[in-house]
Every structure is written in C-alpha cells, then in structure tokens.
Amino acid sequence: MVGKKIRAYREFRGYSQIQLAELSGINVGTIRKYELGIRNPKPDQLEKIATALGLNVSVFLDFNIETVGDVLSLLFSIDDSVTLSLAETPDQKVELTFDNPTMQDFFRKWCQFKNVYKKEKAEILAIEDEDKRQKELDKLNATQEEWKLRAMGTTIGCHTVIKKGIENHLIKSYDLT
C-alpha cells in the first residue's frame, strides 16, 4: 500500500521516478521497487521521499481500522492534539467539530464533495448497461481518490500544523509553507 501511495503522490506532483530519486537521494531502482511493492521503505527512506514530495510522512501511514476500539483510539489521539468538540443533536446523532477555522473549512468542503459524490453514485448505479456502469463507477472512485490526494498533498493537509495550546486549550495554527 505504501508503494501505491508513493506512486500516486509522485504522479500527482508530476515527477518521474528518476526525478523523485534525485530529489530524495534514493536510487531510482529502489524507488521502483517501493512502488511495485517488492520492497518497503525504512522510516528514514520514507521521510526522504515525503520531503522530496513536499509531504508530511504521515500521509504514507496506514491505519488498520476494523473495530470500534480502533476508531476510538484515533479519536482519543486527535482529541489529545486538537480541541475536538462533541455534541448530541436533537435526533440523537453526534456532531464532531474542531475549534479551528482551517479544519472547519476543510470539513465543510469535504461534506460538499461527499454530497456530490453520493448524488453522482446514485445516478451511476441507475445505469442499466453493466459495463458502462462499472466504467463510470471506476471514474467516480478515481475522482474521489484524486480529491483525497489533493486534500492531503496540499498546504491544508501537510503544512498547516494545529495543536492544543497550553493555556485555556487554545488552538494555535502555524503555516509552514
């Protein structure tokens, strides 16, 4: 999975394997093996690749989320790092919000994207021709993956640091670009 992500971000940045090798100081053959899944990069190599691509190394990490406990563990970690607010809605659902304008703006955009995605998927699923339906679903899913890459591979996803402040749990935002 890491190899696929390296390739996706490399292509997203418009780099060839040779260019990534030069930027990271890693042999092009090794980059190729990482992308093909023949080898997995060690943490220091992954850091070099992330730096060369202008990313935070965390975008390459996979979380094995299979249980409620896995989700809770991530939410507790997030809550330790940023101010996470939970509220119960009148219909007994739970709202999760962040007291940070950058995060709120991102989640607003994500909601808008998901609404469009859901509507388009419903339209595609109504297509009777199975081959055409699958082709359209594949394109839609590729669009979703592209959206995720853009979100994680831009200033919002990689270079805007948010942390809880020490006093009154204020959030401080630092733009590292």
Side-chain angles (χ1 to χ4, degrees):
M1 188 73 158
V2 172
K4 287 181 182 181
K5 287 182 180 182
I6 292 170
R7 180 179 179 179
Y9 281 112
R10 175 182 59 76
E11 290 175 348
F12 175 72
R13 293 284 191 237
Y15 296 155
S16 67
Q17 287 180 336
I18 294 169
Q19 289 170 313
L20 179 57
E22 290 171 356
L23 290 168
S24 66
I26 299 171
N27 181 289
V28 69
T30 303
I31 297 287
R32 197 169 290 121
K33 288 177 184 175
Y34 292 160
E35 289 188 6
L36 292 172
I38 296 169
R39 288 181 56 191
N40 284 318
K42 293 180 180 170
D44 63 320
Q45 298 292 83
L46 199 55
E47 185 70 46
K48 289 178 183 179
I49 291 168
T51 300
L53 293 171
L55 301 170
N56 185 303
V57 73
S58 65
V59 301
F60 294 112
L61 304 178
D62 289 324
F63 299 100
N64 189 16
I65 302 172
E66 296 178 359
T67 67
V68 171
D70 296 336
V71 173
L72 293 176
S73 175
L74 287 172
L75 285 173
F76 292 146
S77 293
I78 291 168
D79 192 37
D80 288 343
S81 297
V82 299
T83 302
L84 176 67
S85 300
L86 298 170
E88 190 172 354
T89 64
D91 59 351
Q92 296 183 329
K93 292 185 179 181
V94 175
E95 269 180 6
L96 180 131
T97 58
F98 297 90
D99 297 333
N100 177 281
T102 303
M103 295 282 287
Q104 286 297 104
D105 184 53
F106 167 76
F107 283 113
R108 196 171 6 273
K109 290 175 183 172
W110 190 13
C111 285
Q112 291 167 356
F113 175 82
K114 287 189 72 142
N115 288 335
V116 170
Y117 175 87
K118 187 177 177 180
K119 181 182 175 203
E120 288 186 17
K121 186 173 181 178
E123 291 173 7
I124 291 169
L125 291 175
I127 297 172
E128 290 184 24
D129 182 318
E130 189 176 327
D131 290 337
K132 185 176 180 182
R133 182 175 58 241
Q134 188 58 52
K135 189 175 181 180
E136 292 300 315
L137 277 174
D138 291 345
K139 285 193 321 192
L140 183 63
N141 289 331
T143 300
Q144 181 180 34
E145 289 305 309
E146 173 81 9
W147 193 92
K148 290 177 185 178
L149 283 173
R150 288 186 183 284
M152 291 188 295
T154 62
T155 300
I156 291 173
C158 295
H159 302 294
T160 302
V161 178
I162 57 171
K163 292 245 179 207
K164 277 186 181 177
I166 296 172
E167 290 183 29
N168 301 322
H169 297 288
L170 297 174
I171 292 181
K172 298 181 185 212
S173 177
Y174 305 92
D175 188 359
L176 302 178
T177 56

